[in-house]
Each structure stands twice: as structure tokens, then as C-alpha cells.
Amino acid sequence: MRKLRGDFLWGGATAANQFEGAWNIDGKGPSTSDMCTNGTHQTPKRITREIEEGTLYPSHEAIDFYHHYKEDIALFAEMGFKVFRLSIAWTRIFPTGMETEPNEAGLKFYDDVFDECRKYGIEPLVTISHYEMPYGLTKAYNGWAGRECIDHFMRYCEVIFERYKDKVKYWLTFNEINAGTMPMGNFLSLGILNDGTENFTDQVDIPQLRYQGLHHQFVASAKAVKLAHQKYPNFLMGNMICFMTMYPNSCNPDDILETQKQMQMRNWFCSDIQVRGEYPSYAERFFEENNIQIQMEPGDEEILKEGCVDFYTFSYYMSNCVAKNPTGEETSGNLMGGLRNPYLESSEWGWQIDPKGLRYTLNAIYDRYQIPLMVVENGLGAKDKIEEDGSIQDDYRIDYLRKHIEQMKEAVADGVDLMGYTPWGCIDLVSASTGEMAKRYGFIYVDKYDDGTGTLERKKKKSFGWYKKVIASNGEEL
Ligand code: BG6
């Protein structure tokens, strides 16, 4: 039976805006995420058009990786990480997105981070754009709604590819690019801020603009991949999808068809373009029925064909049920919820825990594309408690991860080509959906709280030692 590769890439995942802090230091400009206040599961984050005095913006300090990177990378190395997924903050390199010359201090910071990784033999896996872009581009063009962003993005890619060509081999273009298929993706993923939008979870949505923005991202992603293939043959270029596994709520053919339809437009649409190089035929009907006309420029179709990714990556947290006429209990998820599955339990944030769904999903993706896959996010957001002896006994997290790794191994035995696994938030960081610190994913606890207080001290949780053993045994000791 097939087993995990000998060179399996074990590691952890983060994103600049959720952990770096130092939001306006060394020439960094404000990003879209810097305009978001904190929220909770019940109260949505607000999007402010200007920075308000006295308001708490979680990304501004986050967990201050900017000044703790040496300590943090040393801890990752102690766990035995082979790979570390992080993103570059575009605004450290081009503060408004529109400069012609890059900001040297920003470039230097990532040089230092990548050198520190290399010191321990950790391979960086870099997301070029993870849920943030220069706020300057939102103000100038309404984010990716403006085609101009393609050129600004390409200038950014040219600079970072050339600068880090000897330090970074694995690149992902856009984090969870399929967020743009949902109204929440407007500001989160496309930097689109329509008049009237105030809340993160209830944004004014103009589907025509959103899908046009997504088209610009597809072209930009393909151009970046094409450039890498032409100029940097050692690079491996990946996409990144938020995989929201869906099961039909019943065997009623209406539910089956509804699930298939949603799977197509939510989960497969973006990767069909990024892996196969063209819009899938099912999208035509969706666009027609929703009155969406994608404006293509001459050459766009060729670029999509020439910029197909080398490997497919995705996040997997939960699964949901889908019905044609949904009735019954609803559940939450990172980008969308669905109906409750009576066979599954949920996290404190209402995300249904479904390890076998990961095996199912890996098989489904591999059947479709037959290129190497990587799980670049997975994990349990939970409240952690510090015991009297100072320890953090996060057995619930160990249990979640163990069950998912078991299913990953099953999928490999099923024949899936899996490159690696980077659980989300390997160190506690700010939640993307709510801006909370209380929702923790890490193997490493950070003394930082929802009200912005905390010493930022790092502390190993029980899961730290557990994951170290998992890596050392290449997944045999779970
Ligand atoms: C993914 C994102 O959707 O899920 C991450 O790529 C995010 O940025 C993660 O943090 C977990 O979601 P949340 O809302 O719990 O932080």
C-alpha cells in the first residue's frame, strides 16, 4: 500500500496580515486588512474607510512576528518543520501598490525571514497575496474590479521573484481565490469596497463587478505562473482553493443536482481555470442566468492557457450539507455554512468536524486533475486554557489533527499524490473571519487577547510535542 512520501513536506501555515503586525513600520503602507476592526462570532468586523482613532485593528500589532520571527522560526524548527507557509505583505514592498520602485526595507525583512528559515533547512512556501492588498488600490480602482491591478500585481511579482529566486522555490498566487465567488470575498479577497458596505459579513454585492474582479485575478495568476515558468525554471507554482466539501442533504435528485451545481461554481470553477487553463462550460449558464458578462481582452484566453499551475493546494476545515430547499439547522464555515450533518460534531465556532471528508476531498480533486496536491490549511479553532501549572492541554486539537492526518494517509493509500501538510495557524494568530485572538489554532500559544492586551510571550502547548513526534516519524506515530 502507498505511504506518505519520504520527502513529505510537514510544516505549518500563516498569513502576513494575521501575524506580522508592524502595520506601518519601515515604510509599509495600509492594506485592506488593516482597515478591518475586530469582531466576534456574533458581531461582524467593521470595514472603516479611514483609520479611526481609538479603534482596535487586530492586524496592526497581531502577534508581532515582525519583531519575533527569529524566536518563532526557531520554535518551528524545533518541531521539525520541513516547510513554512507564509505570505508576503504586498504593502511592505509597494506601500500603495502603485509605486514604480519597491521599498527596500520591506524586501530586506523577507530576506531575513527566508534566511532564518534556510538556516534550519526549512523551505518557505510563499503565498503572494493572502487576503490583503494595498488599500491604495481599493481607493484608486475599487480593488481587483480595476484591470489596472494586473499590471501592479505583475510589477510586485517581478520584484519578489527576482529578489528571492535563490531562497524560495514554492509559490502560491492567491489565497483561497474562490472566496471571490461569494459576497464576503468582495473586500476580503478582491479589495472591492462598494458604497454602503460597512460590515465584513454583510457587504454590498455587485456580482458583475465581483466576477470581473475574479477574472482579473485569473489573468494575473496565470501571468505570474507564466513568468515563473519562463524565467525561473526551479520554481513550482501552485493555486490555493478554500475547499468547502458539500454532501447532498438527501438522496432526492433535486438535492443531488443542487449540490453538484454548488460544487461546480464554489469549489471547482476557479481551479478548473487555473489547472486546465480555460473557463469551464458549466460557467456559461451560470453567467447567463445571473446576468454576468465577463469582459475579456484580446490575449486573455491565451494567457490562461499558458499559465496553468504545477500543483494544487487547498484549505480544508469542515463539510456541510446542501439541499434544494434548505430547511433545518444551519451551520457555519470559513466562507459559507450549510445544513447540519447529523453524523458530525462541530467546533465551538459551529464548523463541522469531518476527517473522512478530507479523504473524500483529496480523492475527488486528484481524480479531476492528476497533479500533485498539498493541504496547506487545516486545523481546529478553539479556546485554550492555561492550567495552574502553566501548561496548555489541547488534546481536542491533537484529536482533530490526528484524525485528519489518518485520513490523509488513507487518501495516499487510495492513490492520491500528496506533497505535504501545513496546518493553519501553527502559532496562534488573528482569526480571518472574526478578528479574534480567542479562536486559537496554534501549537504555540501567544499571550495576546481580543482587547489588544498581552505580553506576546510564546508558550508551547501539548500539541507542540505531539506534532514534533508526528513529523519525526513521518506520520507513523499519531
Ligand atoms: C482560511 C484562511 O479561510 O481559514 C485563513 O485562508 C483563515 O486566512 C483560516 O485564518 C481560518 O479561518 P478563521 O476565520 O478561523 O481565522
Side-chain angles (χ1 to χ4, degrees):
M1 210 142 52
R2 290 177 195 229
K3 289 188 154 193
L4 295 185
R5 296 170 172 203
D7 60 354
F8 193 76
L9 292 168
W10 294 100
T14 58
N17 78 87
Q18 290 170 257
F19 88 144
E20 278 182 6
W23 77 290
N24 59 0
I25 294 205
D26 292 338
K28 182 184 173 297
S31 73
T32 44
S33 55
D34 292 328
M35 310 309 287
C36 294
T37 70
N38 59 349
T40 65
H41 191 28
Q42 290 77 26
T43 325
K45 310 195 297 190
R46 279 189 307 120
I47 304 168
T48 64
R49 281 171 166 69
E50 302 296 333
I51 297 295
E52 299 170 354
E53 274 302 307
T55 294
L56 184 66
Y57 293 90
S59 69
H60 290 195
E61 183 185 57
I63 60 153
D64 198 23
F65 174 78
Y66 195 78
H67 297 108
H68 291 74
Y69 70 92
K70 287 193 179 172
E71 177 187 351
D72 294 344
I73 294 170
L75 286 165
F76 300 152
E78 193 182 328
M79 275 188 278
F81 278 23
K82 316 277 180 227
V83 67
F84 172 40
R85 178 176 175 228
L86 73 168
S87 69
I88 295 182
W90 185 346
T91 47
R92 285 203 194 283
I93 317 299
F94 291 101
T96 67
M98 292 171 285
E99 293 79 1
T100 47
E101 290 304 317
N103 170 34
E104 178 53 34
L107 287 169
K108 165 88 173 50
F109 170 65
Y110 294 106
D111 265 326
D112 295 344
V113 169
F114 299 145
D115 289 345
E116 201 63 21
C117 289
R118 290 252 162 252
K119 190 166 115 186
Y120 298 104
I122 299 174
E123 195 73 58
L125 164 63
V126 173
T127 317
I128 300 172
S129 178
H130 189 130
Y131 282 167
E132 65 179 329
M133 66 191 294
Y135 186 54
L137 295 178
T138 293
K139 289 207 274 194
Y141 310 114
N142 204 10
W144 281 97
R147 196 176 165 98
E148 295 85 347
C149 283
I150 300 175
D151 288 344
H152 295 303
F153 178 80
M154 284 314 294
R155 197 167 53 255
Y156 164 52
C157 288
E158 282 160 18
V159 166
I160 58 174
F161 286 177
E162 187 56 29
R163 177 81 169 215
Y164 307 127
K165 61 176 187 255
D166 299 321
K167 299 181 183 184
V168 179
K169 174 175 161 195
Y170 298 102
W171 300 85
L172 308 178
T173 53
F174 292 94
N175 179 64
E176 296 188 339
I177 190 167
N178 57 326
T181 67
M182 276 160 272
M184 209 214 273
N186 272 301
F187 194 62
L188 173 71
S189 156
L190 294 158
I192 293 177
L193 186 56
N194 293 320
D195 287 346
T197 288
E198 283 175 13
N199 282 337
F200 188 72
T201 49
D202 181 24
Q203 300 180 39
V204 173
D205 182 41
I206 307 168
Q208 167 66 36
L209 215 57
R210 183 157 49 79
Y211 279 93
Q212 188 61 43
L214 204 44
H215 176 70
H216 296 148
Q217 285 193 335
F218 294 141
V219 173
S221 172
K223 278 187 140 190
V225 172
K226 187 179 166 192
L227 169 69
H229 286 165
Q230 280 172 342
K231 235 179 139 184
Y232 308 99
N234 62 317
F235 284 10
L236 280 173
M237 304 298 296
N239 66 334
M240 197 315 199
I241 299 291
C242 173
F243 212 100
M244 296 162 288
T245 301
M246 298 170 189
Y247 301 134
N249 201 41
S250 77
C251 49
N252 182 333
D254 284 338
D255 288 349
I256 308 276
L257 277 169
E258 181 61 26
T259 309
Q260 185 179 52
K261 210 164 111 182
Q262 291 204 28
M263 281 290 284
Q264 285 175 330
M265 281 316 291
R266 299 273 189 242
N267 287 318
W268 298 123
F269 169 62
C270 298
S271 52
D272 280 354
I273 297 170
Q274 293 183 300
V275 178
R276 295 169 164 167
E278 60 187 13
Y279 274 70
S281 52
Y282 56 76
E284 265 176 50
R285 180 170 186 175
F286 172 85
F287 289 147
E288 221 171 279
E289 288 178 352
N290 290 279
N291 217 357
I292 293 165
Q293 280 106 29
I294 305 290
Q295 310 282 314
M296 294 238 188
E297 298 240 323
D300 281 5
E301 282 175 327
E302 288 71 22
I303 289 164
L304 295 181
K305 265 271 171 265
E306 291 161 356
C308 297
V309 292
D310 304 312
F311 65 112
Y312 174 111
T313 82
F314 66 108
S315 61
Y316 176 85
Y317 292 92
M318 81 277 139
S319 67
N320 281 308
C321 294
V322 172
K324 173 83 178 152
N325 300 304
T327 49
E329 204 184 319
E330 304 230 336
T331 62
S332 325
N334 40 349
L335 293 175
M336 66 181 280
L339 291 173
R340 201 177 90 74
N341 183 335
Y343 300 98
L344 301 178
E345 291 188 353
S346 298
S347 77
E348 289 172 86
W349 273 262
W351 298 16
Q352 296 189 122
I353 300 171
D354 182 13
K356 287 186 180 143
L358 177 57
R359 175 179 178 185
Y360 168 78
T361 303
L362 281 161
N363 272 282
I365 300 169
Y366 194 64
D367 277 355
R368 197 172 182 107
Y369 300 129
Q370 273 111 36
I371 58 172
L373 310 185
M374 187 158 168
V375 179
V376 294
E377 284 188 34
N378 171 240
L380 180 72
K383 288 183 184 144
D384 288 328
K385 186 170 145 249
I386 302 188
E387 304 294 335
E388 271 175 23
D389 64 0
S391 67
I392 298 151
Q393 303 293 323
D394 57 341
D395 293 280
Y396 36 90
R397 184 167 294 108
I398 294 174
D399 190 54
Y400 178 102
L401 295 169
R402 177 191 293 124
K403 288 183 175 147
H404 283 80
I405 296 172
E406 274 165 5
Q407 294 303 317
M408 253 170 26
K409 288 166 66 179
E410 290 292 336
V412 169
D414 293 337
V416 170
D417 182 4
L418 186 63
M419 296 164 66
Y421 179 61
T422 56
W424 176 249
C426 43
I427 181 163
D428 290 348
L429 38 64
V430 175
S431 156
S433 55
T434 64
E436 290 164 290
M437 271 308 300
K439 191 181 189 190
R440 296 173 184 271
Y441 287 87
F443 303 110
I444 302 163
Y445 185 89
V446 180
D447 189 67
K448 178 79 197 268
Y449 304 97
D450 289 344
D451 61 1
T453 60
T455 62
L456 299 172
E457 189 199 337
R458 274 65 170 153
K459 202 186 244 304
K460 295 174 199 170
K461 303 182 193 176
K462 183 174 178 186
S463 55
F464 184 100
W466 172 80
Y467 194 45
K468 187 176 171 174
K469 270 199 287 178
V470 172
I471 297 179
S473 63
N474 201 29
E476 291 298 314
E477 262 186 66
L478 290 173

